[in-house]
Every structure is written in C-alpha cells, then in structure tokens.
Amino acid sequence: MKSIVFLRQITKIVFLLIVSIKAYALSDIEPVNLRCEYKVKPVIDVKAPRLSWELISRENNQEQKAYQIMVASSAKLLGQNKPDMWNSGKILSGSTNQIEYKGNELESAKTYYWKVRSWDKSENAGKWSEISAWEMGLLDKIEWGAKWIGYNLDSLNKNPDYHLPPSPYLRKETDLKKPVKSARLYITSLGLHEFYINGKRIGEDYFMPGWTDYNRRVYYQVYDITENLSIGKNAFGAILSYGWYSGYLGYALLVKSPQVRAFYGETPVLKACIVVEYLDGEKKIIVTDNTWKANDGPIRESDILNGETYDARMELSGWNIPYYDMRRWKPVKIYPDKAERKLQVYPGNPVRIYTELKPKNIIERPQGKYIIDFGQNFSGVVRLKVKGKAGDSIIVRYGEMLHPDGRLMTENLRKARATDTYILKGEAKEETWMPSFTYHGFQYVEVSGLQYRPDTGTLTGVVLSSVTPQAGKLETDNAMVNKLYENIVWTQRSNYFDIPTDCPQRDERLGWTGDAHVYMKSAIYNNDIAAFFTKWLEDLNDAQLPNGAYPIYAPMPMKNGMAAIRPSDSYSPGWMEAGIICSYELYKAYSDIHIVRKYWQNMKKFMQFLEQKSAGNYLLKERSFEETNPKGGFGDWLSIGKKTSPDLLATMYYAYCNKLMAEMAEAIGENSDQMYFKENAIKIQQAFEKHYMDETGKLKINSEIYGNVNGYIEYRPETGFHGHTQTAYANAIYMNLLTPVQMEVAGEKLKDLINENLGKLATGFLGVKPLLPALSVTGATDYAYKLLLSQEYPSWGFEVVNGATTIWERWNSYTKEKGFENNAGMNSFNHYSFGSVNEWMFGNMAGIKNTEPGFRKFIIKPEVPGIGINYVNVSYHSINGEILSSWKKEGDKFTLTVSIPVNTKALVYIPAKTNGFVYLNNKKLEKKLENGYVPVEIGSGEYIFSSVIER
Ligand code: BGC
C-alpha cells in the first residue's frame, strides 16, 4: 500500500515537472520571410510602415497567440534587445501581417532593424526571428537639394512619320578625398534614365522611374553605391530617354490625335542626389545642378513604342569614367519643378531582366535577311553580338507571328515601329549591344544587314518584366492544360510591366482598367502582386475623373480636361469599376485594409457618380452612358454570337460594387457606410429582377427592354441586345445577385445556352472570368471542364493546339480558314484578359479559395472531372505561407494531399461516393457526406486524405 502511495507521488511529481518544463519550453514557432511594405529589406518612405512575417513550426494545428516586435536604430542595439525605436511588448493577436509600426518618428535616410517573436497556441514563446531591416528614403523634397537638369535635343530627328530625338548624355566628375563608409544614390527622372558611376551601370532596374501622372507625382529609386566609389576622382554619368513622359504613347498617332507624343513635357530631365559618408563621419553631397555637362551620343533615337537606334561610331568613349575630356560638352539646362509634384519612393516592383532566351530556329529569307524564332512570345528586346564594317546597319524588326509565306507579321503593331537599329563601328572583334529604353512584344525578329548567317549566339532574347515574386505553381497530367497555364503565366509576365498593360506589342500598352480587374484574381494566384498593385492603384486614383468615374485606362494623360491620347477616351461601365474591384481584391488577398482606407473617399465618390447616373431607379437604364465613346461603353468586349446589353452589365456591376463596398466598409469599421451600401445592393438587385427578369427567372431578350440603342458598339437593330446570354447569367451568378431559386434557374439557363451553342463558350472580356466559376457554383462542373478541355474554336485549347505560347486577345486572333483577319484593327497575341480562366483553375480545379482576408481561412475543395484530368498539383504562396492542394484519381480511388500554413485554418472538402468513406492519413473519418463531399476542418500541417469516388 505504502509503495503504491509512493509511486503515485512520484508520478505526480514527474507529471508536474513535465507540465512546468512545457510551460517554460521554447516553442519551435518561428517567424520567417520578414517583410516591410510587402518587400524584403526595402527602401521606403512610408511613415508608419506595415510589417509582416510568416510562421513555421513542426507542430500541427499551430497558431500564433501573441507577438512582440522590436525595432532599433542599429543591429547592435537590436541584438542586445535594446529597441530604441519601438518595443511593441507582447501583443495578444493572431495577426502576422499589415502590422503598422507605432514607434518613434522615423527619420530620412536612416536604416532601422527589426525582429519579431511569436507565442504559440500553448502560449509558449518561440525564438526571435533573424534580424531584418528597412531604410528610409528622403522624406522631404527639400532634402534633395538637387535640380532637374536636361539637355534639349527635341528639334532633332523630326521626320514626316516620327519625331525621335537622340538621347541626352549628362556627366560630372567629383573628387572624394577620404575613404568612404557608405554612399547612396537617390535618383529619378521625368522620362527614363540609366546611371553610371566610374563606368558601371547602377542597379538592375529598367524603365525607371515608371509611369505615373507626372504632374502629381514621380517616383525615385535608392541604390547603395558604397562599392562603386573610390578615393580620388569619380565620374557620374546619366543617359536619358523620352519614355512615358515625353515619348509616344498608345494609339495617339493611329487615331490622329492633336498630340501624339510628349504628353507630360518635351524634354526628359534628371534629378539625382548622391550622399557620401566618409569613414570619419563627414558627409559629402553631390547633386544634379548647373555644374553638370551634356552632350548627345550614340543613342540617336529612343522610344518605348518605336524602338532605338544606336550609332556605335558616335560612342563617347570614356564618357562615364574619370579624366574624360569634356571640352566639347555643353552646359546643362535647369528645368523648373512643379511645387505640387510629389517625389516618392517607387512602391512597385521594378522592371528587370527575367531571363534570356536562345534562338530556337533561324530561317534564311530573301535579300540577306534572317528570321529568328525564340519559341516564346514575350516582352523585351534582343541583345546583338555582331561583326561588320563601320557604318553597316543591323536592323531588327519585331513580330509575334509569321505570315504563311514566312514573312514577319507586323500589321498588328499598327503604328508602333518596333524597330531597333545598330550601326557598327567596325571593330575586329564582335560588338555587343542591347537597347536600353524600348521594349517589344515578340516571338520572332527579322534581322537584316548581317553579312553572314547568324548562329544561336548572334541574337539573344532578353525578357523584361516587373519582378513580382512567383506565388503559384500548377501542374496536371493534361499536356494541353499545362501549356495553357504556361501561356497564362507568360502573358502576365509580358504585361505586368510597371503597370498592368493590355498588350506589349502594338501602339497601345495602356493600363486598361477592364482588363486589369477581370484578370487580377488570376494574377494573384500566380505572383505576389501586392506591391505592383499598390503602385497601380495610386495611378488609377490619380486618374479618377472630376465626375468621380474611374477612367478606361490609367495613367491617363490629360490636356484641357480631356484625355490627351484620344480626346474621346473617358470611362466605361465594365472598365471603370476597377477602382472598386482592384482595391477589393488587394484587400481580400493580402488583408490590406490600408489600401481600402487610403482610397475610401475616392471610392465613395465613384459610388456617388453611379448613384447619380441611376437617378433614383437603382438601375443603370438604357442610355445611361450615352455620352461615352463608344456609346454605352465597351460591353462584353470581343464576345461572339449574341450581344449582351451593356446597360444590363452596367447594372450588375453597380450592384456588385455596392456589395464589395459594404464588405470593405465593414473591414475598416465604417458602419453607416456599410449599411448604406448593403441596402443599396439589395435595392439594385430588386430593380434588376423587376426590370430584366421574367417570372421564370429568365433574363429578357425583347428589344423593348434594351431599347433602340443605336450607336452602341455592336448594336444591330435587327438583332438587338440580349439578357439571355452566357455572359449575363455567368455574371449574375458570380456576383451573387440572385435568390437561391433564381440561382438554380440561371445555372440551368447557362447550361442550355452552352448546349445550344454546341457546347461552346461565347463570352467576351466581361463574361469569360465568371463563366467557369458560375458553372461550378451551380453544380455544372462537368460543363466547366468541357469548356476548359475543348480544343475546338472558340476555346483556350484551340489557341494551344494552334501553337500559342501566350493568351490571344481574340478567340479568332488566328484561324486556319481565315488567317489573321483582324490585324488591321487589333489583334494581339499577348493579352491576358481571356487568361482569367486561371482563377477557376486554382480556385475550383485545385479548389483553393480564400474565405478570410489574406487566406487566414480558406477552403480546399477540388472539383474532379469524369474524364480528361486525373492529377492536379497546385500550390499557392499566400501572405500567410504556402498552401498545397494536390490530388490524384486512380480508377475510383482518390487521394488529396494538402498543406496548411501555420496560423491558418482550412476547410477541406474531400470528394467521396455515396456511402463511401474518407480516410485521413489512412485512418477512417467518422464524417457525413454533404453534396458529394466530406468536409473536414483542419489547422496547419500536412495531411493526406483518401476516398473512393464515382469513376
Ligand atoms: C485594348 C483592350 C481594352 C479595349 C477597350 C483595346 O484596344 O487592347 O484590351 O480593354 O481596347 O475595349
């Protein structure tokens, strides 16, 4: 008996010991991927920057219960746990992102170091993260002390077709007397620039400082140039180009606008400030001012749309290294600043070289020409490595496709000359050149002027894109779908180029708002586009029109209150809603409520504009947008078959925007706004039902509803407009504008319309994104897969089997029967709008869908087809970490492997047969089947589910 008591006591002590060890135990929860304003160790100018981290732990169902952040002015202080800037203390919160800095005021040009630790679900603290940092830019314009300097060459190179003046070269030399401890270059331009120190190009960025409304703001970059400087003489040099500031833009030339270039100013100018700190702490500052000298040089023409011409015989040998003879150089001119123009750190992802491509095929053409096929359509330029006589011109023309007779197809470039020329200096060795200030959308180039057959080293494809970090991976056992995905990714890469462009090849390349919002959710699955869209949303809000409407593209240069590229460009339903939808998508994907707050008043102004338009009817009735060009707006752009009424679409978007506004209002605690938008959405839905729907739930087709809207694009009095279309039902379902009964009817109608159309889609830009999601949500997954897997015209597969390497602008951009019938107008082979099927591939095929902002909670509900695909392996790196949904179907056996990041929760739906069982890591789950799935809620970790499904 005694010994039993003794044993009990011992057990109790051991137990208490274990418990107390556990209480003091360090958790293995660890913050990683520390970022500030969406970037790793960035330079910023935000006064209350947002910090984020992700968590890792070996333990399943792991969560963060609390965190602590320390920020110090030196790494040393932080290492000693002496946070002289901010010690958040232990904050009871599960948040790991969008955490605003709340410490002492941040100062210009200083670096701040930070670390974070988390407490796990058992309240045990994990170890401190590694130290990260951010650096502040110059917070006040005054601090630059630099002037805008330039050299006016505008009067040169004017010809009847184009006005392409040479690039100015600017330089200065300075003595540095003592060893340098650290040095920074703060640099921007109105136009584009490249900067050199002692012969070396600074940074890897291209097309800086990006396109903005230069009247309101211009961005700058900051580079650490400590290693570039030396004691003694140092040379600083810049090359400027016309870029978006003073070059050609869009289709201005094509549509014969009063102005075709130089929309913001005539002469590109540079502003730079070099801050040197010597080892002894003394500072030296070098700025752009009237001591700089200028000249023209080998870049004889440089323009984004039209290309670059480089005459190597005119090289200014040694111009960017010290001890250069400057006698022939002229003084620069100082240009005035605009007081209201903000100077801010570039918030986006700069354009850089993504990769290089070797020629796949070299084809000889008549007259000594060659066509080089890079095997991939992309944005960028070619680098030449050539030999020849002094004065020989190597001319490179760019194109996306070849004509059947082998000629380079350039008709679809319209007025974009897209030609680069290199004039040889005639050296014995090979001469290497790549243009600096232009880019093209192409798969093929035609090179002329070579005296020999080029080989695979003569021309290299240089791929340029904004560096948005990769977030998604998608792979299936279906080769066509894999190729489609690859094409989508290449199209995004080609068009996320400082701003989201429509296409990279023709004389357009504008930030079309409709394209941007229909594709944004798809883009989010592929790449981390938070910083990229932070930048563009600023452009979009800067471009908001005085009446509150968001424009059809942004930036939108203005002249006399009208769009300067084409005076009739303004706003359009289906496009302008990007101001609401893109902010909403950013908020949902990255839990970015900051963006919602920032633009809240702008968004409300837009909503007021819509409200005025609806004139108390809660509808955007026929002719509501008669003043726009085209009348009524663009509608379901590039759809085929019956045309959906643009006003009906406008009304649906009106309801949808109200819903999104209500949700965003709730997120930022604007309660009365929330109520208001919620009620509005209901009223619009009711009005929509009354006006457009018959008693059976069918959307009306009779012309009295849609009226005589002569002048509307694609309106034909004989055929009129319709509501009974794939696009209309798909949108109504996707936007959730229907009662459950109406939803069911709409699902049936959608299927009927597809059947009537011989199983094919008929949607345009606005209809294609919701089409497959709408089929899935109404239970017609088999239809969605049929459309996805089709290879007949019109379909995604049709493009793939016809050799596409990017997404086409039109379903019929090319057909065997009719060739390129649309070239004269618009026929891009690199246009992401129809790539919006990606949203369904990630969200339904793999089944990864966000249910709480930032993927804090999400579902994984794979949709499994009867035929065509048996294996899907998809991952998505969310702001909370990596999510995996990988499924396999072998006969009637189904396996699903998932990975759920720490601090998130997933509701996983495992498909199973009626009366079938679901196993988790080989253990049978006692769960009930609901609509063909067994739902299981899980926390972080990796899990393998298996089940038996219908074959
Ligand atoms: C662009 C589109 C854009 C459209 C407006 C086109 O020229 O390339 O993508 O949305 O105009 O309808």
Side-chain angles (χ1 to χ4, degrees):
M1 188 66 195
K2 237 182 178 183
S3 64
I4 289 178
V5 172
F6 180 68
L7 210 70
R8 268 200 194 142
Q9 265 171 350
I10 291 273
T11 326
K12 206 172 159 192
I13 290 167
V14 170
F15 176 76
L16 284 173
L17 214 68
I18 290 173
V19 167
S20 57
I21 287 174
K22 233 190 141 201
Y24 291 104
L26 202 62
S27 164
D28 80 334
I29 196 167
E30 191 187 343
V32 292
N33 194 17
L34 271 62
R35 294 186 298 156
C36 171
E37 291 292 317
Y38 295 126
K39 294 180 186 176
V40 178
K41 298 190 180 162
V43 180
I44 55 159
D45 57 0
V46 179
K47 293 192 178 140
R50 293 163 298 161
L51 305 175
S52 76
W53 58 93
E54 291 162 26
L55 292 166
I56 51 170
S57 163
R58 280 185 302 275
E59 190 143 340
N60 276 10
N61 298 308
Q62 190 55 283
E63 279 171 30
Q64 173 188 287
K65 279 272 159 25
Y67 66 82
Q68 180 179 16
I69 296 171
M70 285 186 179
V71 183
S73 58
S74 76
K76 198 171 155 203
L77 282 173
L78 192 62
Q80 296 165 346
N81 282 346
K82 290 184 184 150
D84 58 338
M85 294 304 292
W86 187 39
N87 183 355
S88 72
K90 184 175 173 182
I91 306 281
L92 295 179
S93 161
S95 299
T96 58
N97 51 61
Q98 309 294 349
I99 316 273
E100 270 185 26
Y101 170 82
K102 292 204 178 72
N104 299 341
E105 198 175 321
L106 301 168
E107 289 173 41
S108 269
K110 291 248 164 84
T111 302
Y112 297 100
Y113 300 83
W114 72 287
K115 60 182 181 181
V116 56
R117 63 171 169 165
S118 299
W119 279 259
D120 70 7
K121 59 179 175 189
S122 324
E123 311 260 352
N124 290 330
K127 65 172 183 186
W128 284 100
S129 69
E130 298 208 339
I131 291 180
S132 192
W134 76 83
E135 182 178 326
M136 300 303 285
L138 299 178
L139 299 180
D140 193 334
K141 220 170 158 178
I142 302 283
E143 293 176 75
W144 284 66
K147 298 268 190 278
W148 290 110
I149 60 170
Y151 184 54
N152 188 341
L153 298 168
D154 303 338
S155 59
L156 303 177
N157 290 356
K158 271 190 195 171
N159 68 47
D161 296 328
Y162 296 101
H163 174 197
L164 300 168
S167 267
Y169 284 62
L170 313 175
R171 84 180 301 277
K172 179 187 171 75
E173 283 182 21
T174 304
D175 261 326
L176 295 177
K177 302 227 153 41
K178 298 179 272 189
V180 171
K181 183 177 160 208
S182 77
R184 293 286 182 276
L185 165 69
Y186 302 88
I187 183 163
T188 184
S189 58
L190 295 168
L192 304 174
H193 62 264
E194 266 186 357
F195 199 81
Y196 293 83
I197 299 179
N198 299 329
K200 249 192 98 185
R201 187 186 192 273
I202 302 301
E204 297 160 38
D205 305 333
Y206 288 83
F207 293 87
M208 282 294 116
W211 188 357
T212 51
D213 179 346
Y214 301 106
N215 297 313
R216 291 174 186 243
R217 75 187 77 244
V218 61
Y219 292 127
Y220 64 92
Q221 292 287 104
V222 184
Y223 299 100
D224 183 345
I225 51 163
T226 316
E227 300 300 320
N228 298 88
L229 301 175
S230 44
I231 303 184
K233 265 210 187 321
N234 288 268
F236 305 106
I239 313 174
L240 294 178
S241 179
Y242 298 83
W244 294 289
Y245 177 77
S246 44
Y248 285 86
L249 290 182
Y251 37 61
L253 195 59
L254 179 80
V255 302
K256 300 193 170 65
S257 275
Q259 193 175 354
V260 295
R261 64 184 289 281
F263 290 99
Y264 300 93
E266 288 270 303
T267 314
V269 289
L270 176 78
K271 192 188 262 256
C273 171
I274 294 159
V275 181
V276 181
E277 193 185 341
Y278 291 120
L279 265 184
D280 62 10
E282 196 198 326
K283 278 199 173 157
K284 182 175 171 91
I285 294 175
I286 302 138
V287 295
T288 45
D289 57 16
N290 59 10
T291 64
W292 289 61
K293 291 281 183 309
N295 207 347
D296 61 331
I299 301 185
R300 304 315 298 167
E301 298 179 328
S302 76
D303 184 78
I304 295 181
L305 296 174
N306 298 309
E308 203 156 300
T309 298
Y310 188 93
D311 188 342
R313 296 169 305 177
M314 296 181 76
E315 273 176 3
L316 306 160
S317 170
W319 74 281
N320 54 14
I321 54 173
Y323 302 104
Y324 175 74
D325 180 358
M326 269 205 284
R327 270 172 303 177
R328 284 185 36 240
W329 286 53
K330 323 273 172 342
V332 293
K333 204 179 137 194
I334 306 280
Y335 288 75
D337 192 22
K338 274 200 165 96
E340 66 278 16
R341 184 194 290 130
K342 293 192 181 121
L343 202 51
Q344 296 171 313
V345 174
Y346 187 76
N349 304 108
V351 172
R352 288 192 182 156
I353 296 177
Y354 172 78
T355 191
E356 298 192 352
L357 301 175
K358 282 240 167 293
K360 281 262 151 59
N361 199 5
I362 299 172
I363 310 151
E364 194 166 350
R365 300 284 306 154
Q367 297 164 337
K369 293 180 181 170
Y370 295 90
I371 288 209
I372 286 86
D373 174 4
F374 287 99
Q376 174 63 54
N377 199 345
F378 65 99
S379 287
V381 288
V382 294
R383 186 188 302 116
L384 299 176
K385 215 172 172 193
V386 290
K387 253 182 175 175
K389 290 198 306 297
D392 280 358
S393 289
I394 312 291
I395 300 170
V396 185
R397 293 166 67 227
Y398 294 79
E400 295 184 287
M401 301 289 269
L402 299 182
H403 281 292
D405 62 4
R407 275 175 305 128
L408 186 74
M409 196 273 271
T410 57
E411 292 82 344
N412 70 337
L413 307 182
R414 298 191 311 211
K415 290 283 182 194
R417 192 187 62 175
T419 304
D420 295 335
T421 304
Y422 180 74
I423 304 167
L424 284 133
K425 57 188 158 193
E427 284 186 343
K429 59 174 185 4
E430 277 172 328
E431 300 174 30
T432 304
W433 175 72
M434 174 185 130
S436 301
F437 303 115
T438 189
Y439 79 95
H440 315 284
F442 66 105
Q443 170 172 343
Y444 301 91
V445 299
E446 178 206 80
V447 55
S448 53
L450 277 176
Q451 301 306 321
Y452 52 92
R453 185 185 164 88
D455 61 27
T456 52
T458 312
L459 291 99
T460 304
V462 180
V463 180
L464 293 164
S465 172
S466 285
V467 279
T468 51
Q470 184 179 353
K473 285 191 202 123
L474 186 146
E475 179 203 10
T476 72
D477 61 345
N478 184 304
M480 190 280 284
V481 173
N482 292 349
K483 183 64 186 160
L484 168 64
Y485 180 62
E486 206 182 305
N487 293 359
I488 290 172
V489 170
W490 269 104
T491 310
Q492 182 171 333
R493 183 173 295 142
S494 308
N495 283 295
Y496 277 23
F497 201 102
D498 180 64
I499 58 164
T501 63
D502 55 337
C503 55
Q505 70 300 91
R506 67 172 175 242
D507 53 354
E508 204 144 351
R509 313 187 199 182
L510 301 172
W512 282 95
T513 47
D515 310 42
H517 81 73
V518 301
Y519 182 71
M520 185 170 172
K521 207 161 169 180
S522 290
I524 285 168
Y525 281 119
N526 294 338
N527 291 74
D528 173 1
I529 57 164
F532 182 81
F533 264 85
T534 302
K535 190 247 168 208
W536 188 67
L537 279 170
E538 192 88 80
D539 299 333
L540 180 56
N541 281 280
D542 276 350
Q544 188 173 24
L545 299 165
N547 63 1
Y550 286 103
I552 50 175
Y553 51 81
M556 181 182 261
M558 303 294 282
K559 191 157 192 194
N560 305 327
M562 290 204 279
I565 293 176
R566 173 167 60 190
S568 59
D569 286 347
S570 58
Y571 49 90
S572 161
W575 269 246
M576 58 189 178
E577 296 84 351
I580 307 297
I581 298 171
C582 295
S583 300
Y584 174 81
E585 295 295 358
L586 201 77
Y587 151 65
K588 282 295 260 199
Y590 307 105
S591 52
D592 193 337
I593 51 169
H594 171 79
I595 217 85
V596 177
R597 284 212 182 94
K598 183 169 176 189
Y599 299 121
W600 192 241
Q601 294 310 325
N602 295 37
M603 290 195 277
K604 277 174 71 175
K605 191 171 171 201
F606 172 65
M607 297 308 289
Q608 278 157 19
F609 161 77
L610 290 181
E611 204 171 315
Q612 275 159 19
K613 281 264 162 204
S614 91
N617 293 315
Y618 297 100
L619 272 183
L620 292 163
K621 277 216 168 125
E622 291 56 60
R623 301 195 170 277
S624 291
F625 291 94
E626 244 205 332
E627 73 283 15
T628 66
N629 178 36
K631 270 190 187 173
F634 300 111
D636 187 24
W637 192 244
L638 305 184
S639 64
I640 31 194
K642 284 187 297 179
K643 298 295 166 197
T644 311
S645 150
D647 300 298
L648 166 73
L649 285 167
T651 299
M652 292 202 269
Y653 271 105
Y654 181 28
Y656 187 53
C657 284
N658 272 284
K659 279 172 181 270
L660 303 187
M661 285 298 279
E663 211 180 313
M664 288 190 279
E666 186 179 5
I668 59 168
E670 293 285 350
N671 298 339
S672 57
D673 284 346
Q674 185 199 349
M675 288 297 292
Y676 181 77
F677 291 120
K678 210 172 152 183
E679 278 166 21
N680 255 358
I682 295 168
K683 286 181 195 154
I684 300 164
Q685 249 165 267
Q686 287 163 349
F688 160 78
E689 180 185 331
K690 216 168 131 205
H691 190 67
Y692 290 115
M693 220 181 257
D694 72 14
E695 332 59 70
T696 69
K698 181 175 171 180
L699 291 167
K700 292 180 184 170
I701 37 176
N702 49 349
S703 52
E704 66 269 24
I705 290 295
Y706 303 108
N708 171 0
V709 282
N710 238 330
Y712 270 41
I713 203 161
E714 298 193 293
Y715 175 76
R716 310 271 173 281
E718 328 77 76
T719 46
F721 280 133
H722 293 254
H724 184 61
T725 63
Q726 294 182 14
T727 289
Y729 291 113
N731 275 291
I733 296 168
Y734 184 94
M735 294 175 183
N736 205 2
L737 308 180
L738 306 170
T739 63
V741 176
Q742 290 168 349
M743 188 72 106
E744 216 168 285
V745 174
E748 288 306 314
K749 299 281 178 226
L750 185 53
K751 282 198 288 186
D752 292 348
L753 284 166
I754 293 172
N755 290 339
E756 280 166 30
N757 200 35
L758 308 173
K760 291 173 186 178
L761 56 76
T763 46
F765 277 27
L766 302 184
V768 74
K769 156 180 136 153
L771 183 61
L772 271 55
L775 287 165
S776 280
V777 87
T778 52
T781 293
D782 49 339
Y783 276 70
Y785 270 107
K786 208 170 156 208
L787 294 178
L788 177 78
L789 298 173
S790 167
Q791 302 191 353
E792 281 169 31
Y793 169 79
S795 70
W796 296 279
F798 176 78
E799 300 181 7
V800 171
V801 296
N802 277 287
T805 61
T806 37
I807 302 295
W808 298 347
E809 177 173 23
R810 302 168 176 267
W811 297 116
N812 61 346
S813 281
Y814 170 81
T815 55
K816 281 203 180 83
E817 300 72 40
K818 295 185 177 165
F820 310 113
E821 59 177 323
N822 302 298
N823 276 349
M826 20 169 276
N827 198 22
S828 147
F829 288 84
N830 201 346
H831 228 85
Y832 55 60
S833 293
F834 285 161
S836 60
V837 65
N838 200 50
E839 177 180 332
W840 182 88
M841 300 205 304
F842 276 79
N844 297 76
M845 185 170 78
I848 303 172
K849 262 196 205 135
N850 197 358
T851 49
E852 238 179 50
F855 289 80
R856 203 50 209 289
K857 282 193 179 159
F858 54 93
I859 59 166
I860 296 183
K861 188 179 186 182
E863 292 177 24
V864 185
I867 45 161
I869 296 188
N870 292 306
Y871 167 73
V872 168
N873 184 17
V874 164
S875 65
Y876 168 61
H877 197 106
S878 76
I879 196 166
N880 277 297
E882 180 105 345
I883 300 167
L884 171 78
S885 165
S886 179
W887 60 259
K888 213 198 283 170
K889 186 178 132 187
E890 288 157 303
D892 60 357
K893 190 171 182 295
F894 181 81
T895 333
L896 171 66
T897 307
V898 301
S899 173
I900 315 299
V902 172
N903 208 34
T904 68
K905 283 217 161 17
L907 188 55
V908 183
Y909 288 84
I910 306 101
K913 207 165 152 164
T914 325
N915 303 326
F917 298 112
V918 168
Y919 296 83
L920 166 56
N921 300 337
N922 286 326
K923 267 185 35 211
K924 196 167 135 191
L925 291 177
E926 298 305 327
K927 297 260 183 185
K928 275 231 278 328
L929 197 66
E930 293 171 18
N931 296 326
Y933 286 92
V934 171
V936 181
E937 206 187 347
I938 51 172
S940 68
E942 277 164 31
Y943 308 86
I944 301 176
F945 296 95
S946 51
S947 64
V948 176
I949 55 170
E950 306 286 352
R951 268 177 194 271

